[in-house]
Amino acid sequence: MNAWNRTGPVVVEVDGTAENLRVVDYATAEALRFGAELVLVAPYSAHGSATPMTAYAPKPPAEMADAALRTAVAHLRHRNGYGLELAAVAGEGSRSRVLAHAARNARMLVVGRSRSRGPQRLVHTQANLTLTARAGCPVVVVPLSWKPSLLDRKVAVGIDGTSLSAEALEFAFGEAAAREGDLIVVHAGLPAERPFVDEDPECSWISRAEYVLSETLAPWTSRFPSVKVTRFLSSRPPAAALVHESGEVGLVVVGAHSGPLPIDPVARRSTAAMTCPVAIVPHHLTEAEREQPVVARRVGSVVPAT
């Protein structure tokens, strides 16, 4: 498992389709925003399995990957000139292995969102969660229909008051600052425990949620004083609250576990249903967390930073 390099390049998956160029454009905007290098990566299978790059021409997969990269580079040079620091790599092997290896020192990895729907979309989303765990850096999943808009200046992030929110908040504040935009912090879902008998359940939940927000945000608001923060409390399930916000912002940020078997039901459901790009940010266990019982960590993984 790799660590997140905050000053590394932006890595983007290239698959040779016309729609994928929008994903490349999104990654380019991120690279230009941070003054980072952009690395184009085209995974391919030496055995010639069916992919978008091999669907219309009987050429060897390696040649198709190289052609896809050349097309993407030409597209970027035409739109952005030669001021962008650029690299292109074709990698043989599974998508997960090639992209995780390419992103081992990346600030973020950008991939396209599958067009599949229903249960199949959840399968693809779980694959991206697994990719996030392997890469160790934030993975931004971009809808193939993405276009630049004024909403891109707004970022939303889900938090749950645990350490799982730490990296997600750092990434969200950094994105909002770089975009010179606003940040919406979402704390959703009613607590599992029952309130005291003499308390009003709704007031009790609101006061506890506000306390969690204040304690969690304090270090980041002082570090990023230029970012305007809006706090949003919702009794909706976390996934539903984040999906609702995705229609009003240009990026939603969620936290996810970075273990070998990342099982984050809320992150998976919300990511699958997002209408805007979503950044999946892995949480790397601290020494204190590693010392906790395995059962306790599993319980904490049921509700990620959403």
Side-chain angles (χ1 to χ4, degrees):
M1 181 175 59
N2 303 312
W4 172 19
N5 183 354
R6 274 73 168 177
T7 59
V10 174
V11 178
V12 59
E13 180 182 17
V14 174
D15 68 11
T17 64
E19 295 160 317
N20 175 253
L21 292 179
R22 293 181 178 178
V23 180
V24 172
D25 286 339
Y26 182 95
T28 302
E30 288 291 315
L32 291 172
R33 192 176 286 128
F34 290 98
E37 179 187 17
L38 179 66
V39 180
L40 309 177
V41 180
Y44 69 91
S45 171
H47 303 293
S49 58
T51 69
M53 291 185 290
T54 62
Y56 302 104
K59 293 183 179 180
E63 290 186 20
M64 294 301 296
D66 288 340
L69 290 172
R70 287 195 297 271
T71 298
V73 170
H75 170 79
L76 291 178
R77 292 308 187 199
H78 176 73
R79 291 175 62 95
N80 303 282
Y82 287 82
L84 175 67
E85 188 177 357
L86 187 63
V89 180
E92 179 186 347
S94 69
R95 172 180 181 265
S96 177
R97 186 186 69 80
V98 171
L99 292 178
H101 179 75
R104 63 191 183 280
N105 294 314
R107 105 178 24 239
M108 73 178 73
L109 169 62
V110 182
V111 301
R113 175 177 169 178
S114 170
R115 283 194 173 279
S116 60
R117 297 186 178 278
Q120 194 61 30
R121 174 169 287 184
L122 287 176
V123 172
H124 284 286
T125 302
Q126 182 60 46
N128 285 330
L129 285 171
T130 303
L131 176 60
T132 302
R134 291 191 65 177
C137 68
V139 173
V140 183
V141 183
V142 181
L144 299 180
S145 59
W146 175 83
K147 293 181 180 179
S149 74
L150 294 177
L151 291 179
D152 290 339
R153 297 187 66 249
K154 294 184 177 181
V155 178
V157 58
I159 70 168
D160 64 358
T162 71
S163 58
L164 184 58
S165 305
E167 289 92 342
L169 271 172
E170 178 186 354
F171 184 84
F173 267 96
E175 281 289 323
R179 298 171 185 226
E180 299 181 345
D182 302 337
L183 177 63
I184 301 172
V185 180
V186 181
H187 182 60
L190 292 173
E193 69 273 14
R194 298 177 61 183
F196 294 110
V197 177
D198 58 346
E199 289 185 350
D200 180 282
E202 183 175 352
C203 291
S204 175
W205 172 76
I206 291 175
S207 62
R208 280 181 288 175
E210 288 179 342
Y211 176 80
V212 167
L213 283 170
S214 297
E215 289 294 303
T216 305
L217 293 178
W220 303 107
T221 52
S222 59
R223 180 175 170 182
F224 296 92
S226 64
V227 176
K228 178 184 177 182
V229 178
T230 300
R231 304 180 183 190
F232 178 63
L233 300 179
S234 175
S235 59
R236 291 183 176 187
L242 286 172
V243 171
H244 179 267
E245 286 301 308
S246 70
E248 305 295 330
V249 300
L251 177 68
V252 171
V253 182
V254 298
H257 289 275
S258 61
L261 294 174
I263 302 174
D264 287 297
V266 177
R268 184 175 59 214
R269 288 196 298 271
S270 57
T271 302
M274 291 295 180
T275 59
C276 72
V278 54
I280 309 169
V281 184
H283 170 60
H284 301 282
L285 294 177
T286 63
E287 289 298 328
E289 289 173 324
R290 289 192 182 95
E291 294 175 358
Q292 293 178 1
V294 175
V295 173
R297 294 206 299 267
R298 284 177 179 172
V299 171
S301 72
V302 174
V303 182
T306 52

